[in-house]
Amino acid sequence: MPAERFGHPPPIVQSMILADGIHQDPSTKKWYILGTHSIVAVSKFPASIPLRLYMAITETHGLTTLRIRIIEVDEDQGPIHESAHTVDLPDPTRVWEMTFGVAVTFPAPGNYRIQLMAGEELLRELRLKAAVSAQPSPPFQDV
């Protein structure tokens, strides 16, 4: 999306991480990211899997709707997941850290993309492989 639609440049994503667990210490406000991964292994498909995303964003200007989309890499079908999260990030000089949890049903094994968008602007993308395994990796037990 061109900057004109925002009235300013789009936000900058300094980091986006997929993890098993994300915790913010109540006293220090520091974030702890546990169990990062790029592969989920389950015993069968379709598989419902909870995902946790951590992100650090800057160059923001007030109310921003962030969209999380998950699409298959090799397919031209629509997203298998899409959610919108409106956040108030008023200071463009600050780095805003946040986390989102999403529940996704993966229809089949394959390669997927987790996309973070503001409006129609793609800000950051992660690759994720979904695979069949006789020993599913925790916490990806079949739901």
Side-chain angles (χ1 to χ4, degrees), residues 68-90:
I68 298 169
R69 292 182 49 190
I70 301 176
I71 61 170
E72 291 182 70
V73 171
D74 299 329
E75 299 292 323
D76 290 330
Q77 301 172 9
I80 64 165
H81 171 86
E82 189 162 6
S83 58
H85 310 267
T86 301
V87 291
D88 190 11
L89 311 172

Side-chain angles (χ1 to χ4, degrees), residues 30-140:
K30 289 182 179 180
W31 290 92
Y32 293 88
I33 301 166
L34 308 167
T36 64
H37 55 85
S38 59
I39 299 172
V40 294
V42 296
S43 60
K44 63 181 178 173
F45 285 88
S48 296
I49 298 172
L51 299 177
R52 303 282 300 164
L53 284 169
Y54 163 87
M55 55 200 72
I57 301 173
T58 190
E59 299 295 327
T60 58
H61 297 272
L63 284 177
T64 304
T65 300
L66 299 173
R67 290 189 308 126
I68 298 169
R69 292 182 49 190
I70 301 176
I71 61 170
E72 291 182 70
V73 171
D74 299 329
E75 299 292 323
D76 290 330
Q77 301 172 9
I80 64 165
H81 171 86
E82 189 162 6
S83 58
H85 310 267
T86 301
V87 291
D88 190 11
L89 311 172
D91 183 353
T93 65
R94 179 176 167 185
V95 176
W96 300 91
E97 295 177 278
M98 63 195 78
T99 182
F100 295 113
V102 296
V104 181
T105 299
F106 289 89
N111 294 303
Y112 294 85
R113 292 182 183 163
I114 301 171
Q115 299 176 325
L116 178 64
M117 305 179 79
E120 295 300 314
E121 176 83 16
L122 177 62
L123 302 178
R124 179 65 68 100
E125 182 174 85
L126 300 176
R127 286 189 174 259
L128 177 66
K129 181 176 184 168
V132 173
S133 174
Q135 297 179 334
S137 42
F140 310 120

